[in-house]
Amino acid sequence: MRSNGVLMHISSLPSDYGIGTLGHAAKEFADYLNRARIQYWQILPVGPTSYGDSPYQSFSSYAGNPYFVDLNLLCEEGYLTYDECKNTFWGDRADRVNYANMYEKRFPLLWKACDNFRNVKNKDSEQYKEETDKEYRKFLTDNSDWVEDYAIFMALKDAHEGKAWFEWEEDIKRRKPDAINEAKTKYSKEIENYCIVQFFFDKQWKQFREYLVEKEIKLIGDIPIYVAYDSVEVWKEPELFALDRKLEQDKVAGCPPDYFNEDGQLWGNPIYNWKKMEKDNFAWWMKRLKRVFAMHDVVRIDHFRGFSSYYSIDGKAENARNGKWVDGPGMKLFDQIKKELGDVNIIAEDLGFLTEDVFKLLKDTGYPGMKVLQFGFGEGDGKNIYMPHNYDRNCVVYTGTHDNETTLGWLQNTSDWVRTNTFAYNNVTDSEGWVWGLIRAAYSSVADLSVIQMQDFLSLGNDCRMNTPSTIGGNWEWRMTKDMLSDGLNDRIKEMNYRFGRANWKED
């Protein structure tokens, strides 16, 4: 069935407290999508962000980002007061996230909420205390395979002034039982704080998901292929990664040199020990995927080509020039996914340097790949795989992704030849139709699913771009303001959905 979606991260929602959250604004956006007949909402990874604020570099593959815990909902439960939240400085721009300020201001309020949760000061009822405690204990039991490890990891990071785990003292770095038990005692309150914040996140996430179901909107999540070196997963199970005896990185991930970057891209994420993982039928991956599918309806797997073959770089290299391609797990992993998880809904991010082995793996899995319109108009022979007439149905078409320029920015910055070719192909005749000409191309294509960045629906320029790869600072900051979601835009999106058969007609 033909369908449609929007791409916008939770952080980009409007709010009074510096960043988008799982509160009322998320539900209002779901209402807006429902009225526009949009069926899918695609977000970025929701884990706790680390240095650089990227959702793709997280301290944990399982935990939720504490920034997304809605403060108003905590006030409604009595764990904070509205004055405490409103009297905090959250930055001077409603259209940007100030991450440095967020780090300084959000956690003290969350810790205060944890104290009030512990004391249940907002309720006198003994029954309420018992029910709340029971709910919290159930959360800890249901998530016992990750939540305590995450909480210990984060408490130790705080105790070490934010230093990475591989810079900690040897016994803690190597998770010696006596050292861990001592840390549990010494930092018991801090560990419990991190557990309680995850409980807040879990409760709000479930309410958010229930509301999406009510509004007939499915959630598309995103999972990075790699995890951060400074993550609880690598600290907890270093044998599953390409580390040496000193727990330093032996091999790291990246991309080879190309037309755009003569040094290639040195991502710095540790490479997996795929041979070790295969011995227990990829149990680490099964557990990780079960978690992400429990939270989302569909999952986009980032850098899908790395499962076919991945670019391996020496851990001490200064650039990615001298890496080499190494075979990945291929269909062995995906056969195991089907065996244990069934026919889950996966979107394969098959962009970048593609070879025949990648095309074969995508075909063998049956997963839809991605088509990005911005990649389609650089040649004039009509053979580019990203031009709509070359699509098959089993794909997802995007105007652009979080790593691209906005469509307006791209059209303004590309060469005259590419712009002319784009306009001629899409029958765009005036500047008012620049962006919507590309949106129409996505909607009218045969792709089963069309996903448009919210910035493109709003016809915004590159000052609203989400991320510029291989740069630090200024990324992941864009936020939508409350006045942007007009009725006129809603009607235009709805009309496009009906016109191109991407939504069934129904009365409002």
Side-chain angles (χ1 to χ4, degrees):
M1 177 182 172
R2 291 169 64 79
S3 55
N4 63 87
V6 63
L7 170 58
M8 190 178 79
H9 196 30
I10 300 292
S11 63
S12 295
L13 288 164
S15 83
D16 295 326
Y17 305 128
I19 194 169
T21 68
L22 298 171
H24 299 303
K27 294 180 179 179
E28 289 173 358
F29 188 59
D31 291 337
Y32 192 85
L33 299 184
N34 177 263
R35 292 197 304 274
R37 307 297 184 254
I38 290 179
Q39 300 142 304
Y40 289 88
W41 178 359
Q42 181 172 333
I43 60 175
L44 307 182
V46 295
T49 49
S50 58
Y51 176 74
D53 310 307
S54 169
Y56 296 88
Q57 294 285 345
S58 179
F59 292 130
S60 169
S61 294
Y62 296 84
N65 193 331
Y67 295 159
F68 296 164
V69 174
D70 187 76
L71 299 184
N72 281 338
L73 293 180
L74 294 184
C75 291
E76 289 175 15
E77 295 197 77
Y79 303 135
L80 293 173
T81 68
Y82 291 104
D83 284 344
E84 287 172 330
C85 299
K86 291 179 180 179
N87 292 335
T88 300
F89 176 72
W90 296 109
D92 52 11
R93 294 185 61 174
D95 62 343
R96 289 290 184 275
V97 179
N98 184 330
Y99 281 103
N101 186 71
M102 187 64 53
Y103 179 79
E104 292 177 3
K105 303 295 176 60
R106 183 60 66 104
F107 283 104
L109 279 174
L110 291 175
W111 302 152
K112 185 173 290 188
C114 290
D115 285 339
N116 288 331
F117 173 82
R118 256 187 294 267
N119 298 327
V120 200
K121 289 178 179 177
N122 59 309
K123 300 286 183 181
D124 296 324
S125 167
E126 287 298 325
Q127 181 181 357
Y128 178 86
K129 293 179 182 179
E130 290 177 9
E131 290 175 355
T132 302
D133 185 67
K134 184 178 180 181
E135 191 177 8
Y136 174 59
R137 296 300 163 193
K138 184 178 188 304
F139 165 78
L140 293 179
T141 300
D142 291 346
N143 298 278
S144 59
D145 56 343
W146 67 268
V147 71
E148 185 183 44
D149 287 316
Y150 161 75
I152 293 170
F153 178 82
M154 295 305 298
L156 284 168
K157 280 191 73 68
D158 291 345
H160 289 85
E161 299 181 334
K163 289 183 180 179
W165 67 265
F166 42 86
E167 299 176 294
W168 300 346
E169 57 271 26
E170 197 71 11
D171 285 357
I172 286 289
K173 184 170 74 172
R174 294 187 179 275
R175 290 176 57 87
K176 295 293 180 66
D178 288 347
I180 294 296
N181 288 332
E182 183 180 340
K184 285 182 180 181
T185 300
K186 186 174 182 180
Y187 305 113
S188 59
K189 181 179 178 181
E190 291 81 1
I191 291 168
E192 187 177 50
N193 278 350
Y194 277 104
C195 289
I196 292 172
V197 169
Q198 287 306 304
F199 171 68
F200 291 155
F201 178 92
D202 183 75
K203 186 174 182 179
Q204 292 186 9
W205 183 267
K206 288 175 179 175
Q207 293 169 349
F208 167 63
R209 288 297 311 280
E210 288 170 2
Y211 196 80
L212 292 186
V213 171
E214 181 182 328
K215 294 298 175 179
E216 300 178 308
I217 297 167
K218 293 183 178 180
L219 191 64
I220 302 176
D222 198 328
I223 182 171
I225 183 174
Y226 295 117
V227 299
Y229 181 27
D230 186 21
S231 67
V232 61
E233 282 77 33
V234 181
W235 177 60
K236 182 181 177 182
E237 299 181 276
E239 68 277 7
L240 298 179
F241 302 87
L243 308 184
D244 61 22
R245 292 183 178 180
K246 295 181 180 179
L247 300 181
E248 296 175 356
Q249 296 193 89
D250 183 45
K251 303 293 181 184
V252 297
C255 284
D258 57 21
Y259 175 80
F260 300 101
N261 193 331
E262 64 181 13
D263 287 331
Q265 295 182 35
L266 186 65
W267 297 342
N269 303 80
I271 294 293
Y272 293 113
N273 183 344
W274 284 115
K275 291 183 179 179
K276 176 78 173 176
M277 287 184 163
E278 187 178 344
K279 288 181 179 179
D280 62 1
N281 295 318
F282 306 103
W284 185 91
W285 271 96
M286 298 305 108
K287 177 181 164 186
R288 186 185 185 200
L289 288 168
K290 284 176 183 176
R291 169 67 175 172
V292 75
F293 274 108
M295 297 178 69
H296 308 86
D297 299 295
V298 184
V299 174
R300 188 194 87 126
I301 299 183
D302 192 47
H303 196 60
F304 182 82
R305 72 140 301 120
F307 295 109
S308 179
S309 57
Y310 57 89
Y311 197 63
S312 177
I313 307 162
D314 185 270
K316 294 180 174 57
E318 295 182 358
N319 58 56
R321 290 181 181 180
N322 297 315
K324 65 177 182 178
W325 289 102
V326 180
D327 288 341
M331 277 303 296
K332 293 177 183 177
L333 173 65
F334 296 103
D335 285 340
Q336 194 65 31
I337 290 173
K338 186 170 184 179
K339 181 179 178 180
E340 292 195 32
L341 277 68
D343 292 320
V344 290
N345 293 315
I346 288 174
I347 297 172
E349 189 273 289
D350 58 338
L351 307 175
F353 178 68
L354 303 182
T355 49
E356 286 303 318
D357 60 307
V358 183
F359 291 120
K360 184 178 185 305
L361 180 61
L362 185 65
K363 182 179 179 181
D364 290 345
T365 61
Y367 301 149
M370 292 175 56
K371 306 296 183 185
V372 178
L373 285 175
Q374 290 183 23
F375 298 164
F377 304 101
E379 297 99 31
D381 59 5
K383 296 180 181 179
N384 189 304
I385 63 172
Y386 297 108
M387 299 184 84
H389 67 265
N390 291 320
Y391 299 170
D392 58 23
R393 289 180 56 188
N394 188 34
C395 69
V396 184
V397 58
Y398 296 79
T399 44
T401 75
H402 61 274
D403 282 335
N404 299 123
E405 297 176 89
T406 67
T407 294
L408 178 60
W410 172 71
L411 287 169
Q412 291 172 332
N413 293 333
T414 194
S415 69
D416 290 342
W417 190 94
V418 170
R419 186 165 48 249
T420 299
N421 188 34
T422 303
F423 290 166
Y425 183 94
N426 295 293
N427 196 29
V428 175
T429 57
D430 61 84
S431 60
E432 290 295 318
W434 279 20
V435 176
W436 281 84
L438 271 291
I439 292 174
R440 185 179 65 246
Y443 267 76
S444 63
S445 74
V446 298
D448 283 338
L449 175 58
S450 167
V451 177
I452 310 298
Q453 276 202 102
M454 195 64 215
Q455 293 97 313
D456 291 343
F457 275 138
L458 294 166
S459 298
L460 299 175
N462 274 346
D463 58 326
C464 300
R465 180 175 180 168
M466 196 63 171
N467 179 52
T468 303
S470 301
T471 65
I472 296 176
N475 294 318
W476 318 108
E477 295 179 357
W478 177 74
R479 294 177 65 204
M480 182 173 62
T481 55
K482 294 178 180 179
D483 60 344
M484 289 182 175
L485 296 180
S486 68
D487 291 339
L489 176 61
N490 196 279
D491 290 341
R492 191 173 190 182
I493 297 171
K494 184 194 300 183
E495 189 272 340
M496 189 76 77
N497 282 322
Y498 288 149
R499 181 182 296 274
F500 293 106
R502 294 194 178 275
N504 294 324
W505 175 264
K506 62 181 179 180
E507 297 292 338
D508 286 310

